[in-house]
Amino acid sequence: ERHFAGDGPLTGKHILVTAGPTHEPIDPVRYIANRSSGKQGYAIAGALAELGARVTLVSGPVALATPPGVTRIDVETAREMADAVDRALPADAAVMVAAVADWYVEAAAQKLKKGEGAPPLALHTNPDILATLAKSPTRPRLLVGFAAETERVVEHATAKRVRKGADWIVANDVSGDVMGGDANTVHLVTADGVEDWEPLPKDAVARRLAERIAAALG
Ligand code: CTP
Ligand code: CA
């Protein structure tokens, strides 16, 4: 393991990472969520810190330890994640790994009872944290998004890069057994084209991405 005591390639840089799912409460005991262990995002936060960056990790609910040297802010909902990201700015780079729930519902104050029938859940669209950051006056110099796709992985990710205003999209092929596992097949989509990375353990994806970020920030 490499440890930089204040003299790594990312020393002096502040990098924001989002990770994990968000939970959107339905009532005090139920929620809507995306499937995400948080492992890839936590590995990236740790790898960036190892290269000397000051890392702020805005995390949804996960069962993971905070990587050494990382400042962690816990949130539950997408709206809380958006606020925490806002408060953590400015940053030199942001890596949005979180699997943000696309919708929320107005949560009931009391537990819904099934005897009263299936509740009609009115879904509202959550803020798009990445797209908002891309348009913000405090946009980080390097903005990296993730895209978990089950089909036409690179095609969807390439469109997403442009639509959301990200510099890079790490396209993650989740058609296999990735969720919660330790390996990942990713493609790095940039303005220059697409790089196919061989299947790698999540911590190796993290280290390679951290090194690419260090090179890009100079
Ligand atoms: N993202 C975000 N805020 C949201 C939704 C997504 O910041 N409300 C970020 C994710 O962290 C990720 C990127 O946007 O870096 C892509 O997320 P994804 O869910 O793949 O994109 P969507 O635009 O939500 O498209 P889809 O319909 O495929 O879910
Ligand atoms: Ca989504």
Side-chain angles (χ1 to χ4, degrees):
E1 267 194 18
R2 301 147 305 165
H3 287 283
F4 294 94
D7 61 350
L10 286 172
T11 297
K13 300 287 196 279
H14 178 217
I15 304 188
L16 183 59
V17 178
T18 68
T22 65
H23 285 183
E24 311 298 331
I26 295 169
D27 69 14
V29 302
R30 306 180 178 97
Y31 60 81
I32 296 169
N34 278 41
R35 215 182 273 286
S36 170
S37 67
K39 283 179 185 171
Q40 185 64 81
Y42 272 57
I44 289 166
L48 291 165
E50 275 192 21
L51 295 184
R54 180 165 73 82
V55 178
T56 303
L57 172 61
V58 179
S59 175
V62 297
L64 295 172
T66 308
V70 168
T71 302
R72 170 172 167 183
I73 300 166
D74 285 315
V75 298
E76 186 182 356
T77 68
R79 289 159 290 164
E80 288 167 7
M81 186 172 275
D83 288 344
V85 163
D86 224 43
R87 280 193 298 272
L89 295 170
D92 297 285
V95 190
M96 319 301 272
V97 197
V100 182
D102 290 313
W103 304 286
Y104 71 95
V105 301
E106 299 290 349
Q110 304 300 330
K111 185 183 173 187
L112 300 171
K113 302 306 287 179
K114 71 179 175 190
E116 289 158 16
L121 293 184
L123 298 176
H124 305 279
T125 301
N126 267 326
D128 190 317
I129 302 164
L130 172 57
T132 304
L133 195 52
K135 290 191 219 113
S136 129
T138 46
R139 184 194 193 280
R141 187 146 63 87
L142 181 66
L143 190 50
V144 183
F146 265 67
E149 306 288 352
T150 57
E151 55 171 3
R152 291 153 62 200
V153 176
V154 167
E155 186 185 326
H156 282 308
T158 302
K160 228 166 239 184
R161 192 189 78 83
V162 174
R163 187 171 76 236
K164 288 178 172 268
D167 298 300
W168 301 349
I169 292 279
V170 180
N172 194 355
D173 187 338
V174 295
S175 59
D177 186 23
V178 187
M179 293 298 183
D182 288 316
N184 243 344
T185 303
V186 307
H187 312 267
L188 182 64
V189 179
T190 73
D192 299 329
V194 181
E195 272 175 40
D196 301 320
W197 292 6
E198 70 275 21
L200 291 168
K202 286 180 180 175
D203 57 348
V205 169
R207 278 197 299 273
R208 194 181 286 190
L209 186 64
E211 276 158 17
R212 291 297 292 269
I213 290 169
L217 291 181

